Amino acid sequence: MDYLKIFSPATVANVSCGFDSMGFAVDDIGDEMTFTKTKEKGVKITNITGADLTYNVDKNAASAVVKKMLLEANANFGIELTIHKGFSPGSGLGSSAASAAGAAFGANQLLGNKYSELELTKFAIFGEEVACGSAIADNVAAAIYGGFVLVRSYQPLEIVKLPVPTALRVVAIHPQIEVKTKDAREVLPKEIPLKNAITQWANVGGLVSGLFTNDYTLISNSLVDLVAEPARKNLIPHFDNVKNSALNAGALGAGISGSGPTIFALCKGDEIAQKVYKNINETYQKTGINFELFISKVNPEGIKII
């Protein structure tokens, strides 16, 4: 294979209770990337559209990943990249993760599928570190594995792919404001009361169990975050109004996607998802802040060749 084009999906990380340890991929929204094998070794980005990103191969999440993979594989060829960003950086929907994970997947195809999904996740984590300074796996793992994932361990890295109930839908709103990951991390509490910690890990267990058993009530009861959301919601204008409007329309739960500002709501079925969409839309129309709003299934396959 000398050329391929891929789709790398946007992702929702944390999923309320699963801070830095859970995430899922969404349908339709994501990056498109092309990979062309060249005789000249090394990596080159030939075009970037949809966002203003660096062409510096050592500072761009995608090219940094490809460079690392080619060096480790001792490849006798190079790769030229193009990147089309299908959604905004800084949205809380895993923008750098889509690029980093997509780069790992695409390079691996040209390397003859040399690396496993777990190894690709490790490469993609490097890209996340290049892009935002944090070696976090939840977004990149969700993009690579598809569906829901649990990052059970970082040392050593262990990813558990979780089942996705067929009626599960996500409604997400991206207010057109910027929340920097660095700022969102700085507001997090340095210590957590034991009572809150117990509740939080019980909710993670409940969410995982609910996904395995198609228990939407258990999923709903478990989508509670006592760690990040209380500290971060003040960075997102009208967060409580959006969350309440989603819950009032029948959402299973709602929370902050990644470090924000995107707010997600999980729903059972298309009818409820449409009601949640309508309620959130009406609520945010009154704020005077521009926003993007979408409904999606959970993407079960992750990155794919197109």
Side-chain angles (χ1 to χ4, degrees), residues 51 67 88 99 117 122 175 188 202 206-207 209 225 234 240 263 291 301 304:
K67 181 177 178 180
S88 304
S99 295
E117 288 182 327
K122 292 177 182 178
L188 293 174
L207 180 54
S209 179
D225 177 13
N234 293 328
D240 285 334
I263 305 166
F291 63 92
E301 60 181 330
K304 62 183 179 182

Side-chain angles (χ1 to χ4, degrees), residues 15 26 48 59 72 83-84 88 201 231 260 263 285:
V15 200
V26 303
I48 300 173
K59 295 182 179 180
E72 184 160 316
I83 305 167
H84 174 68
S88 304
W201 64 58
I263 305 166
Q285 289 277 9

Side-chain angles (χ1 to χ4, degrees), residues 157-210:
L157 185 65
E158 183 180 347
I159 308 296
V160 181
K161 183 166 182 176
L162 306 172
V164 180
T166 55
L168 206 59
R169 302 289 182 268
V170 60
V171 180
I173 179 171
H174 174 207
Q176 301 298 289
I177 62 166
E178 182 179 10
V179 175
K180 294 182 179 179
T181 301
K182 182 175 179 288
D183 295 338
R185 286 199 171 271
E186 285 180 352
V187 301
L188 293 174
K190 300 296 184 289
E191 296 180 351
I192 303 167
L194 180 60
K195 181 181 179 181
N196 288 355
I198 292 169
T199 301
Q200 193 85 350
W201 64 58
N203 283 332
V204 172
L207 180 54
V208 170
S209 179

Side-chain angles (χ1 to χ4, degrees), residues 277-290:
Y277 180 100
K278 181 174 180 290
N279 259 25
I280 292 176
N281 185 57
E282 290 175 352
T283 297
Y284 228 79
Q285 289 277 9
K286 302 171 185 175
T287 67
I289 300 172
N290 291 332

Side-chain angles (χ1 to χ4, degrees), residues 122-277:
K122 292 177 182 178
F123 284 119
I125 289 173
F126 171 73
E128 280 282 72
E129 192 169 16
V130 167
C132 58
S134 299
I136 303 302
D138 45 9
N139 286 108
V140 293
I144 289 169
Y145 285 77
F148 271 84
V149 295
L150 170 71
V151 184
R152 199 211 62 80
S153 168
Y154 276 89
Q155 297 293 334
L157 185 65
E158 183 180 347
I159 308 296
V160 181
K161 183 166 182 176
L162 306 172
V164 180
T166 55
L168 206 59
R169 302 289 182 268
V170 60
V171 180
I173 179 171
H174 174 207
Q176 301 298 289
I177 62 166
E178 182 179 10
V179 175
K180 294 182 179 179
T181 301
K182 182 175 179 288
D183 295 338
R185 286 199 171 271
E186 285 180 352
V187 301
L188 293 174
K190 300 296 184 289
E191 296 180 351
I192 303 167
L194 180 60
K195 181 181 179 181
N196 288 355
I198 292 169
T199 301
Q200 193 85 350
W201 64 58
N203 283 332
V204 172
L207 180 54
V208 170
S209 179
L211 293 172
F212 268 98
T213 58
N214 294 310
D215 189 333
Y216 292 93
T217 300
L218 181 55
I219 291 171
S220 178
N221 292 340
S222 303
L223 288 170
V224 179
D225 177 13
L226 300 181
V227 176
E229 184 180 302
R232 287 178 165 176
K233 68 179 185 178
N234 293 328
L235 299 175
I236 306 171
H238 311 285
F239 172 83
D240 285 334
N241 289 340
V242 171
K243 182 173 181 176
N244 290 334
S245 69
L247 296 177
N248 290 339
L252 299 170
I256 303 169
S257 177
S259 55
T262 292
I263 305 166
F264 78 95
L266 285 176
C267 310
K268 181 183 179 182
D270 292 322
E271 185 177 343
I272 292 177
Q274 290 290 345
K275 290 179 180 177
V276 170
Y277 180 100

